[in-house]
Amino acid sequence: MIRLLVAGTFLALITFWLHRRLVRAPGLRGRAAIAANTALGVLLVVALIGAQSGTSLDPRWARPFGFLGWTWLGVVLYLVLGTLLIGIVCLAARTVRRFRRDDLPPPDPSRRRALQIATGALAVGAVAAVGYGTVEAARPRIVHTRIPLRRLPTGFEGLRVALVTDLHVGPSRGREFTRRTVDLVNAQQPDLIVLGGDLTDGTIALVGPDLAPLADLRAPLGVYGVSGNHEYYADDAMSWLDFWETLGVRTLRNERVTLERGGDAIDLAGIHDYSAPAPNEADLTAALQDRDPERFVLLAAHQPRHVFEARDHGVDLQLSGHTHGGQMWPLGYVVPLQQPTVTGLDRFGDTLVYTSRGTGAWGPPVRIATPPEVAILQLNGSLV
């Protein structure tokens, strides 16, 4: 109930602000104003349904509303940014007119007409951008990356690792999206599959069935997974990991396993999310205790910012997600305020980290300038 109240209050305030900026400020009257206000009211209700889909509302009937509601919130992002820009331009124009006292301000109808044109262009542009981003988000693509690693043993030369993170199925995407992702991964015939967390948004009872296709993932060295921050939001994270185990995913809970190939061995370690609360907080020291320091170690950690600790523990390669590459331009410029790297391959001392843009989308099922990916990483045994 508290979550519903908070979401409802926030969405109501946003809707009122949009009414002020998109309807009243441009001076819409009559049928146009009625139509705009009705649309804002309906979209408020749909967005509220979307915010509860997968947690308190069954996505089997709520998902279409969730898809529309979350997509609308993507439009809202650009409407808010655009109206702020229009406001800044108007303020600058008024300031210039005040300093140029010899010029009279233009007639009020002219200013109102200019504002109407700018607001209309903004609305069309926001809808068009989000429409494009919705199509883009529905088409994850395979991204191949070669990663040269000095300490990789000969037996693991050419190892192909599929990294799948941030599916976020539940509110707006369901079982079909998971199936499409599984088919993409299996078609690449990877040697090892790592699930990097944030697979769902919702409860096991309502969203768990959407992950069922994960049981069909296949890799000779196995399928492993670690928790992300969203596993802790709507349900108990350990229960989510237990559920993954029923689908054949070996979850790594601040622990490591030994992988053998071609007569050689490496350590695969996995830790809980950076923000996980006690008693399940991330503990890389526990995951790597008593290991052979000469052995190559591959770490699965949902958030890239684990890399500083990974560097101190001699991790060779860290696999992460979480950032979505920003998901919707220009949010990618904000991500570095929280994470040391946003997307792709980066180096911190002797530790490399690959950060996936993620396969799904959180909130709005929209991707703009940051296409979704399934990463296929080929590990090679020498630095170039």
Side-chain angles (χ1 to χ4, degrees):
M1 179 57 71
I2 294 178
R3 178 172 177 170
L4 178 62
L5 180 61
V6 171
T9 301
F10 172 76
L11 292 173
L13 290 173
I14 288 291
T15 301
F16 178 72
W17 189 80
L18 289 175
H19 159 76
R20 297 278 300 180
R21 302 308 305 170
L22 302 181
V23 180
R24 293 197 60 180
L28 292 185
R29 297 287 188 271
R31 292 180 179 178
I34 293 173
N37 286 325
T38 301
L40 287 173
V42 170
L43 290 168
L44 165 63
V45 174
V46 173
L48 190 57
I49 293 175
Q52 300 302 308
S53 176
T55 53
S56 57
L57 299 179
D58 191 337
R60 286 179 297 181
W61 68 264
R63 183 170 290 127
F65 297 99
F67 187 92
L68 177 59
W70 279 113
T71 301
W72 164 241
L73 291 179
V75 175
V76 166
L77 170 66
Y78 289 108
L79 290 177
V80 169
L81 293 176
T83 52
L84 289 175
L85 179 61
I86 291 173
I88 292 172
V89 171
C90 291
L91 178 61
R94 285 198 298 269
T95 302
V96 169
R97 286 197 298 270
R98 286 174 182 173
F99 280 101
R100 297 179 61 184
R101 297 180 180 178
D102 55 320
D103 289 345
L104 293 175
D108 184 70
S110 299
R111 295 203 304 271
R112 179 61 59 84
R113 181 59 178 166
L115 182 58
Q116 289 174 344
I117 293 173
T119 302
L122 169 62
V124 171
V127 171
V130 170
Y132 158 78
T134 302
V135 174
E136 187 79 346
R139 302 181 299 178
R141 70 281 316 271
I142 299 294
V143 174
H144 294 273
T145 303
R146 291 181 67 252
I147 303 180
L149 296 151
R150 183 179 62 252
R151 298 204 313 155
L152 187 73
T154 304
F156 286 83
E157 177 69 28
L159 182 78
R160 300 176 77 246
V161 182
L163 174 61
V164 180
T165 75
D166 303 280
L167 280 174
H168 290 286
V169 297
S172 56
R173 299 200 190 278
R175 186 186 184 108
E176 298 79 9
F177 189 75
T178 307
R179 167 56 60 192
R180 191 154 63 249
T181 300
V182 167
D183 291 343
L184 275 174
V185 173
N186 285 341
Q188 295 298 310
Q189 300 181 326
D191 302 301
L192 172 68
I193 299 173
V194 175
L195 304 180
D198 280 9
L199 302 188
T200 56
D201 282 305
T203 65
I204 296 172
L206 295 177
V207 180
D210 293 324
L211 291 184
L214 295 181
D216 296 329
L217 287 171
R218 296 289 181 267
L221 293 179
V223 182
Y224 296 85
V226 294
S227 65
N229 53 307
H230 282 248
E231 273 71 46
Y232 295 84
Y233 288 168
D235 217 327
D236 174 61
M238 296 305 103
S239 296
W240 264 119
L241 296 185
D242 291 341
F243 181 78
W244 295 3
E245 295 269 1
T246 69
L247 302 176
V249 179
R250 169 69 161 87
T251 58
L252 298 173
R253 313 182 191 200
N254 293 332
E255 58 186 325
R256 74 178 189 280
V257 295
T258 298
L259 304 180
E260 296 181 351
R261 183 175 186 255
D264 287 316
I266 65 172
D267 287 331
L268 171 63
I271 54 177
H272 292 308
D273 181 65
Y274 192 94
S275 63
N280 300 309
E281 60 265 51
D283 191 341
L284 184 55
T285 300
L288 299 180
Q289 66 181 351
D290 301 325
R291 79 175 187 89
D292 179 358
E294 299 302 317
R295 180 179 290 176
F296 180 96
V297 59
L298 175 64
L299 172 66
H302 180 66
Q303 298 196 37
R305 56 181 169 175
H306 280 291
V307 72
F308 299 113
E309 187 181 9
R311 176 189 59 193
D312 295 340
H313 280 79
V315 169
D316 295 277
L317 174 63
Q318 175 179 312
L319 304 182
S320 297
H322 183 67
T323 68
H324 297 209
Q327 185 168 319
M328 297 172 63
W329 184 91
L331 299 182
Y333 296 111
V334 180
V335 177
L337 299 177
Q338 187 199 40
Q339 301 293 335
T341 181
V342 177
T343 185
L345 191 62
D346 210 340
R347 169 182 291 280
F348 293 82
D350 291 330
T351 298
L352 295 178
V353 56
Y354 183 88
T355 305
S356 170
R357 292 191 298 262
T359 307
W362 175 74
V366 177
R367 290 275 192 156
I368 297 178
T370 57
E373 71 175 48
V374 170
I376 301 296
L377 311 175
Q378 180 177 314
L379 310 191
N380 297 105
S382 62
L383 287 170
V384 294

